Amino acid sequence: MRQPLVVGNWKMNGSTATIQTLLEQMKQGIGSVERTKVGVCPPFVYLSQVSIALGATNIAWGAQDVSQQAEGAFTGEVAVNMLKDFNCAYVIVGHSERRSLYHESDELVAQKFAAVQAGMMIPILCVGELLEERESGDTENVVKRQLDAVLNLAGIAAFEKAVIAYEPVWAIGTGKTASPQQAQDVHAFIRQQLAKYDNAIADKVQILYGGSVKGSNATELFSMADIDGGLIGGASLKADDFLTICRAG
Ligand code: PEP
């Protein structure tokens, strides 16, 4: 039985003041979330604030990206050990905004995934197709290619301590959600791909759905057999909306 997981990706939003309010509201409301493990991924510069505010709670935190390099002359980058310093549990790798806006390749994403694991944190590997790829019937090819890059570098055993997020790019921040069946089909496909190497790992890995999840559609999405929770962008910035989604897990 996989535990539901809901992680908020705050992207490049917030300030010290708005984040303090959001964290207070989340701490007040988290008692109403029964089964679901909850996490938030703030911008790097707020990790200290978030770790202090959430330290004594059961809400986890993580980062939205990381460098594949361990240290050195990489201006603007943040290393795995720096995230460990702030007790991050999770690190998102390969978010579609990183892939498309910052040209991160499948191979680079795989290197980041491996670096996070070597640092004993849990990578949340984002995969998903563009609208034109879905329309041309390439969804499974794209997702397989993105998964294979990680499997080739890190191996199947790496998925014992990893989370996958299926995020169709056309559904991110657009208000268009994949239907529960569309999402379920891809989640089942991802699990099948892993099962080719190891059934037990495929069965155990949490696969989150991301793309315009809201309080109003979360229950239906999360009730599908292979959907184990969500990676939530916009709706994670309001405590009430986010907690409603967390309760749907
Ligand atoms: C995301 O950025 O991972 C995401 C799913 O965003 P949104 O929920 O806003 O579509």
Side-chain angles (χ1 to χ4, degrees), residues 159-231:
F159 284 87
E160 224 160 349
K161 293 203 173 106
V163 172
I164 298 172
Y166 168 57
E167 299 205 304
V169 181
W170 47 272
I172 296 180
T174 59
K176 285 187 201 158
T177 317
S179 72
Q181 193 57 53
Q182 278 176 321
Q184 164 60 26
D185 289 347
V186 182
H187 283 230
F189 172 76
I190 291 170
R191 228 179 272 291
Q192 269 165 28
Q193 293 306 302
L194 300 182
K196 289 201 279 189
Y197 303 93
D198 190 308
N199 269 315
I201 291 175
D203 194 46
K204 207 177 128 206
V205 68
Q206 288 160 312
I207 309 179
L208 313 183
Y209 168 77
S212 299
V213 178
K214 303 183 265 296
S216 55
N217 58 23
T219 306
E220 229 194 326
L221 284 159
F222 298 171
S223 67
M224 303 306 282
D226 289 293
I227 302 183
D228 305 315
L231 182 57

Side-chain angles (χ1 to χ4, degrees), residues 7-11 167 213 231-237:
V7 177
N9 171 16
W10 292 353
K11 309 195 188 192
E167 299 205 304
V213 178
L231 182 57
I232 316 300
S236 69
L237 295 168

Side-chain angles (χ1 to χ4, degrees), residues 12-241:
M12 199 172 71
N13 292 296
S15 65
T16 305
T18 62
I19 286 174
Q20 207 53 33
T21 305
L22 178 55
L23 291 169
E24 286 309 321
Q25 290 170 342
M26 282 183 59
K27 285 202 282 189
Q28 274 166 25
I30 195 68
S32 64
V33 178
E34 284 174 11
R35 280 176 355 113
T36 304
K37 176 79 189 161
V38 175
V40 293
C41 295
F44 292 131
V45 291
Y46 297 115
L47 277 171
S48 171
Q49 183 187 359
V50 168
S51 67
I52 291 165
L54 298 182
T57 72
N58 54 7
I59 306 172
W61 60 91
Q64 300 172 15
D65 186 29
V66 70
S67 173
Q68 78 281 19
Q69 306 286 354
E71 65 176 344
F74 302 102
T75 302
E77 292 289 275
V78 171
V80 161
N81 281 344
M82 298 171 184
L83 300 181
K84 274 181 81 177
D85 245 358
F86 291 96
N87 296 314
C88 288
Y90 299 100
V91 183
I92 299 170
V93 296
H95 190 280
S96 66
E97 287 151 17
R98 302 292 322 167
R99 291 181 190 265
S100 64
L101 300 174
Y102 301 98
H103 313 294
E104 293 197 3
S105 65
D106 295 335
E107 289 68 31
L108 176 63
V109 172
Q111 286 170 21
K112 291 185 174 194
F113 179 104
V116 171
Q117 275 201 328
M120 310 301 284
M121 294 176 288
I122 298 179
I124 301 178
L125 170 67
C126 298
V127 297
E129 80 288 2
L130 303 169
L131 182 59
E132 55 267 34
E133 291 166 336
R134 172 158 286 266
E135 285 174 348
S136 62
D138 276 329
T139 298
E140 292 189 351
N141 292 336
V142 170
V143 169
K144 181 176 183 323
R145 193 197 70 220
Q146 293 170 335
L147 272 180
D148 281 350
V150 177
L151 283 163
N152 291 340
L153 185 76
I156 184 67
F159 284 87
E160 224 160 349
K161 293 203 173 106
V163 172
I164 298 172
Y166 168 57
E167 299 205 304
V169 181
W170 47 272
I172 296 180
T174 59
K176 285 187 201 158
T177 317
S179 72
Q181 193 57 53
Q182 278 176 321
Q184 164 60 26
D185 289 347
V186 182
H187 283 230
F189 172 76
I190 291 170
R191 228 179 272 291
Q192 269 165 28
Q193 293 306 302
L194 300 182
K196 289 201 279 189
Y197 303 93
D198 190 308
N199 269 315
I201 291 175
D203 194 46
K204 207 177 128 206
V205 68
Q206 288 160 312
I207 309 179
L208 313 183
Y209 168 77
S212 299
V213 178
K214 303 183 265 296
S216 55
N217 58 23
T219 306
E220 229 194 326
L221 284 159
F222 298 171
S223 67
M224 303 306 282
D226 289 293
I227 302 183
D228 305 315
L231 182 57
I232 316 300
S236 69
L237 295 168
K238 290 209 177 113
D240 276 357
D241 294 350

